[in-house]
Amino acid sequence: MAQPIISFNNVSKRYPGGREALSNINFTVEAGEFVLLTGHSGAGKSTLLKLIPAIERASSGTILVNGQSISTLSGRGIPYLRRNLGLVFQDQKLLFDRSVFDNVILPMLVTGQSHAESTRRVRAALDKVGLLDRERANPVALSGGEQQRLCIARAIVNRPTILIADEPTASLDDEYADAIMEMFRSFNQVGVTVLIATHDRDLIAHSSPRVVHLQRGRVLDKATA
Amino acid sequence: MNALIRHHLHSLRQSGVRFASAPFAALANMVVIGVVLALPLGMYLLVSNVQSLASSIPTEPQISVFLTPGAAKTDVAALENRLRAVEHVRSVRFVSREAALASLKRSPGMADVISTLRENPLPDAYVVTLGEGSAAAAERLESELKGVPGIAHVQVDSAWVRRIDALLSLGRSAVILLSALLSLALVAVTFNTIRLQILTQREEIEVSKLIGATDAYVRRPFFYWGGLLGASGGLCALLLVFLAQVLLNRNLSEFGNLYGVELRLQFLPVADAALFLAFAALLGWVGTYLSVSRHLSKIQPR
Ligand SMILES: Nc1ncnc2c1ncn2[C@@H]1O[C@H](COP(=O)(O)OP(=O)(O)O)[C@@H](O)[C@H]1O
Ligand SMILES: [Mg+2]
């Protein structure tokens, strides 16, 4: 069997001055899997997701991403790790001082793609999330669902092998939320590994992918048990 | 095209965009830096002009050796021989007390004064002229001759050259001191400018780091901005000093006309001006480096 694309081995995370947010986490994600990470608010979902791009560092245990050890990764290696990941943040982190197009092109600038190639890929990404006709708009002018799609476009523009989204449907009406989940499913169908944190019970009921449940910093996962 | 070159060009273009988005703030910054740098630059210009003026004046030092009244004939003869044997000597001229008085009488207004004197108060003297550029030798000779029998007083006419030299070296020290101080000021100005910019771009920096920007990538636009700020401030200083020089030259040439001489300040040679611009850019870079090292590491996205 192929090596898992993400694996957590006895990972714990304690924030400075806080209690343990994650305790002894063991779980793996195979390449091409679609995984929902669920749990109540404060269960540790965001913390777990942030460990993968090394936004937060584990207090103990080892994490492997694409065969690379995150726990031993130096500060210099982190940017290159992140370039292979598509990240949709819980707080979106859109830049409102520039257009939709300029938000999506940012990952391309960071990796130094040519202007022509960048433009082509930004348009392709915007097309996939249905925002091509809004490329000149300011993100402020977009609806909540459109802003979330913009975040997704920025996450996929660099063609990541892993897509990680933290509560991408939290603030959306069901209709929009379904459309967003459908979008993730379509990326998964072309081979992208997808890991989504959500506490939306309905959503979990509707879909039938693997669900990893977090409770007070511990994994309750039937699939990997 | 390689990604690194592309990012350098991108950073440069960003500086242009940044300038266009707040041209007055940027211009105000340049002017502040320009005024700060114009002070030592202007002073440097003045010092180097005085220096070249001073070096264009012939400096054949003259030494007047005044004899004691009624000095022994043998002493005087020995003295003359000694003077003629001095190194670098051009000429040795004897000016008798009678000749000196006669020449004094020819000076306007002096005749009346002198006619009231009952006797000639002037001593006999030798005027020794040394070769060009031997001011040091002249001063050596002066101290050698002091106290020699038959000599009442020795006066070196090259002393003023020395005085200008001393003044020039004082000026040079002042330029160095002023440059050091105001360079520090420029570094502080860019440090603060970049700090403000990092603060206003905090979100962009955070997002860039989250999507895989290296530290070098994040820093590069700031280095361009700081370097360009320094260089354009330097350009502003050159312009200010040039304007001041044009204005001063107008007054100087009127002043010079009164004495029938041509007085003009020369501007910096092109190579010096280029060096000055490079130095200003370097100072901007240093200010940026300090600011970026201090402030960028504090931005860790969560
Ligand atoms: N930056 C932080 N500093 C201290 N404690 C934190 C920080 N972020 C999260 N926590 C704590 O860690 C626990 C897990 O939080 P989080 O991972 O955000 O949970 P979830 O995303 O499932 O709501 C919570 O108790 C939370 O208060
Ligand atoms: Mg969360």
Side-chain angles (χ1 to χ4, degrees), chain A residues 39-90:
Chain A
H40 293 296
S41 180
K45 304 181 296 294
S46 295
T47 303
L48 191 151
L49 292 188
K50 283 176 184 171
L51 290 175
I52 298 168
I55 295 170
E56 295 291 353
R57 309 302 292 261
S59 309
S60 64
T62 54
I63 302 167
L64 293 176
V65 177
N66 271 326
Q68 191 178 21
S69 170
I70 305 308
S71 11
T72 57
L73 194 64
S74 73
R76 282 177 171 279
I78 290 173
Y80 303 97
L81 163 73
R82 291 179 184 166
R83 290 176 192 188
N84 290 317
L85 306 172
L87 304 176
V88 176
F89 307 100
Q90 190 165 10

Side-chain angles (χ1 to χ4, degrees), chain B residues 59-131:
Chain B
T59 53
E60 290 183 346
Q62 278 195 342
I63 305 163
S64 305
V65 181
F66 299 100
L67 306 181
T68 34
K73 282 260 180 331
T74 49
D75 281 351
V76 175
L79 181 64
E80 180 163 348
N81 286 335
R82 180 173 176 174
L83 289 178
R84 289 192 188 285
V86 164
E87 214 184 345
H88 301 305
V89 75
R90 266 284 156 77
S91 67
V92 176
R93 187 162 54 92
F94 180 75
V95 181
S96 69
R97 50 202 300 261
E98 294 77 18
L101 190 68
S103 113
L104 203 58
K105 264 186 186 157
R106 282 195 296 277
S107 311
M110 288 304 284
D112 291 343
V113 182
I114 288 164
S115 64
T116 63
L117 296 172
R118 251 176 286 139
E119 56 182 76
N120 182 355
L122 300 176
D124 288 330
Y126 281 104
V127 176
V128 182
T129 305
L130 296 183

Side-chain angles (χ1 to χ4, degrees), chain A residues 13-22 37-50 56 90 166-167 197-199 214 216-217, chain B residues 302:
Chain A
K13 169 67 181 177
R14 181 189 293 278
Y15 285 104
R19 63 176 182 83
E20 210 159 56
L22 293 175
L37 191 61
T38 67
H40 293 296
S41 180
K45 304 181 296 294
S46 295
T47 303
L48 191 151
L49 292 188
K50 283 176 184 171
E56 295 291 353
Q90 190 165 10
D166 196 352
E167 308 209 20
T198 176
H199 67 247
L214 271 184
R216 303 177 56 122
Chain B
R302 284 281 169 262

Side-chain angles (χ1 to χ4, degrees), chain B residues 193-241:
Chain B
T193 306
I194 297 296
R195 184 183 72 88
L196 286 175
Q197 241 162 42
I198 290 172
L199 283 180
T200 57
Q201 279 180 264
R202 196 189 173 90
E203 278 186 81
E204 181 181 354
I205 294 167
E206 272 191 26
V207 172
S208 299
K209 282 191 169 185
L210 284 173
I211 59 181
T214 58
D215 280 351
Y217 174 94
V218 173
R219 287 165 180 224
R220 203 166 288 134
F222 293 109
F223 279 122
Y224 268 94
W225 185 250
L228 283 174
L229 199 62
S232 54
L235 202 64
C236 189
L238 281 172
L239 209 72
L240 284 174
V241 170

